[in-house]
Amino acid sequence: KNQVEQSPQSLIILEGKNCTLQCNYTVSPFSNLRWYKQDTGRGPVSLTIMTFSENTKSNGRYTATLDADTKQSSLHITASQLSDSASYICVVTTLGGGFKTIFGAGTRLFVKA
Amino acid sequence: EPEVTQTPSHQVTQMGQEVILRCVPISNHLYFYWYRQILGQKVEFLVSFYNNEISEKSEIFDDQFSVERPDGSNFTLKIRSTKLEDSAMYFCATRLAGITDTQYFGPGTRLTVL
């Protein structure tokens, strides 16, 4: 069964600290993996997109990694800011039977001053 | 920067009524999507639309749902006879062309079925 699991479920960090969010997936065959940021009550905003051949992708203070062999991805946030408080969602697209998109449940990040 | 827009921002309806949610995609985008997010739950894929026809749909997208692009600009999601469990945030998303192109999400329509 195609699944995307994220950990931790929630995380509290102090402003200025770094953090890493994890995503494990069982989706096959794999097309691409995306990380989104979703503020409460808003639509998700794309942070990174990675295909099978990409190991790392950066977008400002956000760096995503992908290990297609172990089917794991991480999102590293550097020097966190209060505005980073949001849900971070891992999304995997599979090629199987057409393109299907599977969302993780997200990690809720709280950045405190 | 171009944005996906959705109307209304909030829709309240009685169970059994029909609702139409509207989306205006980014102008040169070719692929359109509807997602829903029940409060406190994960985002779920409903349907994708390309070249004026459905390209993929999920198990959620049953006969009560339909999509169309009536005038070449708006992209609509119709729920024929709403149920209480249809209460959710509905997001429209669009992308340009390639499968790895960014999907841009709209701000969502909050549907409340009473």
Side-chain angles (χ1 to χ4, degrees), chain B residues 18-96:
Chain B
E18 174 184 286
V19 295
I20 298 176
L21 310 183
R22 291 183 169 79
C23 168
V24 178
I26 295 172
S27 63
N28 58 340
H29 283 197
L30 302 178
Y31 291 82
F32 314 117
Y33 304 83
W34 282 104
Y35 298 90
R36 80 172 185 190
Q37 186 174 30
I38 295 170
L39 187 64
Q41 298 186 23
K42 65 173 71 174
V43 177
E44 299 171 291
F45 167 74
L46 292 178
V47 65
S48 59
F49 191 85
Y50 169 72
N51 200 25
N52 287 318
E53 61 183 30
I54 291 173
S55 46
E56 298 287 342
K57 62 182 181 179
S58 72
E59 300 81 11
I60 303 167
F61 194 88
D62 60 21
D63 292 343
Q64 291 299 311
F65 291 90
S66 62
V67 290
E68 63 175 359
R69 203 160 179 232
D71 55 11
S73 60
N74 289 292
F75 177 52
T76 63
L77 173 70
K78 181 191 291 187
I79 309 175
R80 289 190 181 80
S81 178
T82 50
K83 303 186 286 285
L84 295 176
E85 54 264 38
D86 292 328
S87 295
M89 197 77 160
Y90 288 81
F91 293 107
C92 171
T94 75
R95 68 176 167 91
L96 183 57

Side-chain angles (χ1 to χ4, degrees), chain A residues 68-88:
Chain A
D69 292 330
T70 62
K71 298 187 177 180
Q72 296 179 324
S73 176
S74 66
L75 180 70
H76 186 74
I77 304 174
T78 303
S80 61
Q81 301 174 357
L82 297 178
S83 58
D84 291 334
S85 295
S87 287
Y88 290 85

Side-chain angles (χ1 to χ4, degrees), chain A residues 45-67:
Chain A
V45 174
S46 181
L47 297 175
T48 62
I49 303 170
M50 288 184 291
T51 59
F52 183 88
S53 59
E54 295 176 291
N55 300 119
T56 186
K57 183 74 72 78
S58 291
N59 178 3
R61 294 180 297 102
Y62 302 103
T63 298
T65 65
L66 174 65
D67 185 335

